[in-house]
Amino acid sequence: MPRFRRITHSNAFAYSSESCDRGWQLLEMCVSTFPPTPTFDPYLRKHLQTYSMTSSRATDYAVVAARCESHLRQVKKYGARKLAPSLDEVTSFRRGRLLVKVHFADGSSKAIQLEIGTTAGSFVESVCKRMDFENPQYYAVYSRSDESDLMMFEREYVLDVIARHRFEHEARMQLLQNLRTQSSPRPHITAFETHLTFRRVIFSPDEPLGLENEALTNMVFWQMMNHLTRGEYRCTLEEAFDIAAVMVRTSNTDFDLDKRCAGTDATRQAFYKKYILAMHLDSVTMVEWARQIDRRMPDLRKQTAHQCKRELVETLSTWPLFGASFFRVHKPKCDRVNLPQEALLCVSSSGIKFVDLKTNVTLITYGYREVASWRYGPDHVNIKIGGLVQKVQRNIRGYTPHGQEVCHIISLYVEKMALQVAQANEKKKNTILKT
């Protein structure tokens, strides 16, 4: 409370405009970082409301005061930030340009403006508004740590997550440096780089994908291609030919395609190789791969890249695991079911599945109507199958650093299923009443 009181007092009685400007900047930063005490809260709100009115004294600072009121409401709703703003944040804030780069699945990126108190939920909404995407609840932003990409959740502050990953990276690099000896090689020390990725995580077969939006089509297309490249989706050889041909068509300009196709067979085969799915790379010879891709290319080149991507995404949307999120789970356990030491957990609109990493065979599968509860810890996830009235109940447990993300996606699908059931019951009720 003394900090807020001193700042508001200096703003009210400052004789220097420069001092007053800095005071308002400091106040905005404070209300974006932590809330006042309940005792001082009404006095601070009254101070901001006074300056946000169009009086002669408050005219210059009415906009800043209104922003402070908005920040104050948010920080009271979500709580204080876990970490204090860094020097870089303060410097960028004083310049009025706190920007962060957001990456998409196709490799493109966009700079999005942040506030010090921006939460992941509001950040996703701003990106969706910028890209003209509907249903922001279907999307998520991920921050890259040294180990993997971790989802940011609605109530988390974006800059807190980035700062935490920076501290973890610096601590790991310091440990590597301390372990170095004269006889051991010099460790590879890398600087931390903020890397945010924007993805769609919820797909519903009952709703249109919105592929009229070229940016959305592009993002979904490359998300699916990344899953295919990692072998998380299985497809037939004929489907692999179609996918490779579309990737060649959409990843290159017409000029590049003309240049490559005019080259020798060896040059063309080497060019096509990077677009072939690893699971089918050795199924047929490179000569056959080149022949199959060349056979499909004339028809694909009659269409635009967006049309090719859209048709392929519409085809992939009929696959059972379309839009699934995949998680590697170590030592999965399920009552009365033998599972390997490591398996792939698939969470999709149809339910949850455990898939064998080597054979890609589905080991167990459950719909969301069978899922009774779900919990997570720092390194594990626990899913309970079967209700209280059912005789057979099973507990599924596995070790993964993405337990919170797994539970978050399951809860979104369960909420969506419950809403659909309620709407169907309401529709049925209205039909009965009309008759």
Side-chain angles (χ1 to χ4, degrees):
M1 185 174 71
R3 284 170 287 191
F4 279 114
R5 188 172 60 217
R6 290 170 186 170
I7 296 170
T8 54
H9 184 273
S10 64
N11 289 346
F13 296 100
Y15 293 98
S16 168
S17 59
E18 182 180 358
S19 176
C20 200
D21 291 342
R22 291 184 177 181
W24 277 103
Q25 286 181 354
L26 182 58
L27 180 60
E28 185 176 1
M29 187 176 297
C30 288
V31 296
S32 302
T33 307
F34 57 91
T37 61
T39 304
F40 191 69
D41 179 67
Y43 298 98
L44 179 59
R45 284 190 286 108
K46 178 63 177 177
H47 175 77
L48 296 175
Q49 290 168 3
T50 301
Y51 273 83
S52 62
M53 294 187 300
T54 55
S55 63
S56 57
R57 172 72 178 181
T59 302
D60 296 336
Y61 303 106
V63 176
V64 183
R67 285 205 307 266
C68 288
E69 287 186 88
S70 175
H71 297 326
L72 183 59
R73 286 192 296 269
Q74 177 171 288
V75 80
K76 289 174 64 178
K77 179 179 179 181
Y78 296 112
R81 282 187 54 178
K82 302 296 186 295
L83 299 170
S86 65
L87 181 60
D88 292 338
E89 292 177 36
V90 175
T91 304
S92 300
F93 175 78
R94 290 193 62 187
R95 292 174 180 172
R97 297 288 290 177
L98 189 56
L99 298 176
V100 65
K101 187 181 290 186
V102 180
H103 300 265
F104 298 89
D106 62 341
S108 63
S109 60
K110 290 188 178 295
I112 305 294
Q113 188 164 0
L114 280 180
E115 301 286 350
I116 286 183
T118 299
T119 60
S122 59
F123 184 73
V124 168
E125 290 177 1
S126 63
V127 176
C128 287
K129 185 177 181 181
R130 173 89 174 267
M131 305 297 293
D132 197 22
F133 294 168
E134 298 180 355
N135 301 315
Q137 67 274 18
Y138 292 173
Y139 300 86
V141 62
Y142 290 75
S143 176
R144 179 166 297 175
S145 67
D146 289 341
E147 298 177 353
S148 60
D149 289 352
L150 299 176
M151 177 188 280
M152 292 187 188
F153 299 95
E154 182 183 4
R155 301 180 68 89
E156 288 185 306
Y157 290 103
V158 174
L159 294 176
D160 268 354
V161 177
I162 294 174
R164 184 173 70 245
H165 290 171
R166 180 187 290 111
F167 292 154
E168 291 172 355
H169 174 84
E170 291 174 352
R172 191 173 287 108
M173 292 301 103
Q174 185 64 43
L175 179 61
L176 286 175
Q177 199 166 18
N178 294 340
L179 292 175
R180 183 184 65 180
T181 62
Q182 293 181 355
S183 59
S184 65
R186 183 181 180 87
H188 182 60
I189 306 298
T190 58
F192 178 80
E193 182 180 356
T194 301
H195 193 284
L196 302 182
T197 309
F198 190 78
R199 303 176 193 167
R200 179 162 179 167
V201 294
I202 300 296
F203 292 84
S204 175
D206 303 325
E207 296 182 5
L209 288 170
L211 299 179
E212 303 82 12
N213 187 321
E214 188 170 347
L216 178 59
T217 304
N218 200 39
M219 185 179 71
V220 174
F221 172 80
W222 285 109
Q223 278 188 214
M224 299 303 109
M225 293 306 103
N226 291 339
H227 288 310
L228 283 161
T229 303
R230 292 193 294 264
E232 293 166 343
Y233 285 141
R234 302 296 291 184
C235 62
T236 64
L237 185 58
E238 197 67 22
E239 290 171 334
F241 289 146
D242 294 336
I243 292 168
V246 172
M247 290 180 70
V248 172
R249 168 66 184 89
T250 57
S251 302
N252 301 275
T253 63
D254 290 335
F255 175 78
D256 290 333
L257 290 174
D258 291 336
K259 183 178 178 181
R260 297 291 184 180
C261 293
T264 63
D265 291 343
T267 303
R268 194 166 67 258
Q269 291 171 20
F271 172 66
Y272 289 160
K273 187 174 182 178
K274 62 182 179 180
Y275 299 106
I276 297 173
L277 301 182
M279 68 183 77
H280 291 296
L281 182 59
D282 300 326
S283 302
V284 294
T285 63
M286 281 304 304
V287 175
E288 179 64 16
W289 272 108
R291 191 183 72 81
Q292 292 289 344
I293 293 175
D294 288 339
R295 185 171 66 84
R296 291 164 170 77
M297 199 54 62
D299 292 336
L300 291 174
R301 294 190 67 176
K302 294 177 183 178
Q303 300 176 306
T304 64
H306 172 63
Q307 289 172 335
C308 294
K309 292 176 184 176
R310 180 172 178 175
E311 287 185 5
L312 183 58
V313 170
E314 288 174 347
T315 302
L316 296 178
S317 65
T318 62
W319 290 11
L321 291 179
F322 174 75
S325 298
F326 298 90
F327 307 92
R328 283 179 177 263
V329 178
H330 184 59
K331 293 183 179 179
K333 294 181 180 179
C334 180
D335 298 340
R336 294 177 291 278
V337 177
N338 292 325
L339 296 176
Q341 283 294 306
E342 195 169 21
L344 197 65
L345 172 61
C346 310
V347 184
S348 67
S349 58
S350 59
I352 60 173
K353 294 182 179 181
F354 274 93
V355 177
D356 191 293
L357 281 171
K358 296 180 180 179
T359 63
N360 208 50
V361 174
T362 300
L363 302 172
I364 53 174
T365 178
Y366 296 102
Y368 291 116
R369 293 180 183 274
E370 302 175 83
V371 178
S373 62
W374 50 91
R375 299 194 307 273
Y376 66 90
D379 61 346
H380 71 274
V381 62
N382 195 334
I383 304 172
K384 186 175 181 180
I385 303 298
L388 296 175
V389 297
Q390 295 181 359
K391 295 182 179 179
V392 179
Q393 294 184 357
R394 290 179 177 176
N395 287 320
I396 302 175
R397 182 183 176 90
Y399 293 93
T400 173
H402 303 279
Q404 187 176 2
E405 181 181 350
V406 172
C407 293
H408 176 69
I409 296 176
I410 290 176
S411 65
L412 289 177
Y413 276 123
V414 170
E415 289 173 6
K416 189 169 184 59
M417 181 194 69
L419 179 62
Q420 291 173 347
V421 171
Q423 291 175 346
N425 291 338
E426 186 67 23
K427 185 177 180 180
K428 184 177 180 180
K429 180 181 178 181
N430 293 336
T431 303
I432 295 174
L433 290 176
K434 287 180 180 179
T435 57

